[in-house]
Amino acid sequence: MELKKGYFITFEGADGCGKTTQLELISRWLEENSIDNLKTLEPGDTGLGKSLRQILLHYEKPVANAAETFLYLADRAQHVKYLIQPALKDKKVILCDRYTDSTVAYQGYGRGEDTERINYLNNIATGGLEPDLTLVFDVQSETAQKRVGKDKDRLESEGMDFHKKVRLGYLELAKKYPHRIKVIDANRGIEEVFSSTKEAIGELLNL
Ligand code: TYD
């Protein structure tokens, strides 16, 4: 089925919130409805992004907050130009695992960097491209951490305090941009969460 335009949907939430599982389920559901979609993620879905991801998630020495922020933004700029914009032109539904709100939640609320400045920098990295819809999968931090398990990357290894700040950051963002961001209660089972996810995306796409 040919859509009139492309749609850009982002999946957000703290580590272990279950957004990636939902993204996979939605992609399959769109396929069943013959809707062309692109599954993509940040950081690391371009050639340059793969190198940046390796540094971001596995660099073992301390990383300055500003350096961390700029690396995520560099990945994003590349991602928007070479993957997201072309897919939008092709009228695809883009299912993107993390985007600008991750930087506000993690580097802003989590690390304590100035969120207004991050907004400004996000805007430069994306050329102002905003998602049509953002789903924030909200789950209690203790549950989320259990889901992550023991094999943790650099960000996941931060303490509970950090993860709680990230979660609250997302909820603040949802309050600030209610027209764009929908919060989905991800404390429930996969099927229940999927039914809310499908409802939100179905409404956007008129399905
Ligand atoms: P990833 O393994 O892709 O985790 P997830 O499946 O939870 O998305 O790792 C991405 C990590 O990078 C995750 O801990 C969140 C973090 N992150 C930021 O801190 N800022 C950002 O701008 C982005 C895009 C991700």
Side-chain angles (χ1 to χ4, degrees), residues 68-202:
E68 184 174 282
T69 301
F70 282 122
L71 287 168
Y72 280 113
L73 292 166
D75 171 69
R76 185 158 305 133
Q78 193 79 355
H79 193 208
V80 167
K81 174 153 189 191
Y82 292 107
L83 273 180
I84 300 176
Q85 288 289 18
L88 272 175
K89 254 200 198 139
D90 286 348
K91 300 182 183 168
K92 287 190 183 164
V93 175
I94 299 157
L95 307 173
C96 186
D97 199 332
R98 298 194 180 283
Y99 190 59
T100 48
D101 298 309
S102 280
T103 317
V104 180
Y106 281 78
Q107 282 63 53
Y109 288 91
R111 299 274 192 231
E113 293 294 285
D114 185 292
T115 52
E116 278 312 308
R117 202 158 51 180
I118 291 178
N119 286 339
Y120 174 76
L121 295 170
N122 259 331
N123 197 45
I124 295 175
T126 61
L129 178 70
E130 284 187 13
D132 295 296
L133 173 68
T134 296
L135 301 176
V136 165
F137 294 88
D138 181 59
V139 68
Q140 285 189 342
S141 303
E142 288 77 7
T143 315
Q145 279 304 293
K146 269 190 212 135
R147 288 184 189 165
V148 168
K150 289 214 171 76
D151 190 16
K152 293 182 173 159
D153 63 38
R154 201 174 62 82
L155 276 288
E156 288 163 350
S157 306
E158 289 291 334
M160 189 55 84
D161 188 42
F162 177 81
H163 296 295
K164 287 194 168 157
K165 284 193 224 160
V166 170
R167 180 188 180 202
L168 289 180
Y170 276 121
L171 296 176
E172 284 292 315
L173 277 166
K175 260 193 240 155
K176 209 166 155 192
Y177 306 108
H179 54 287
R180 171 173 68 85
I181 304 182
K182 284 205 163 69
V183 178
I184 291 189
D185 176 4
N187 293 292
R188 302 168 296 162
I190 291 177
E191 281 306 320
E192 284 165 292
V193 178
F194 181 47
S195 117
S196 305
T197 310
K198 216 161 47 172
E199 194 182 309
I201 293 179

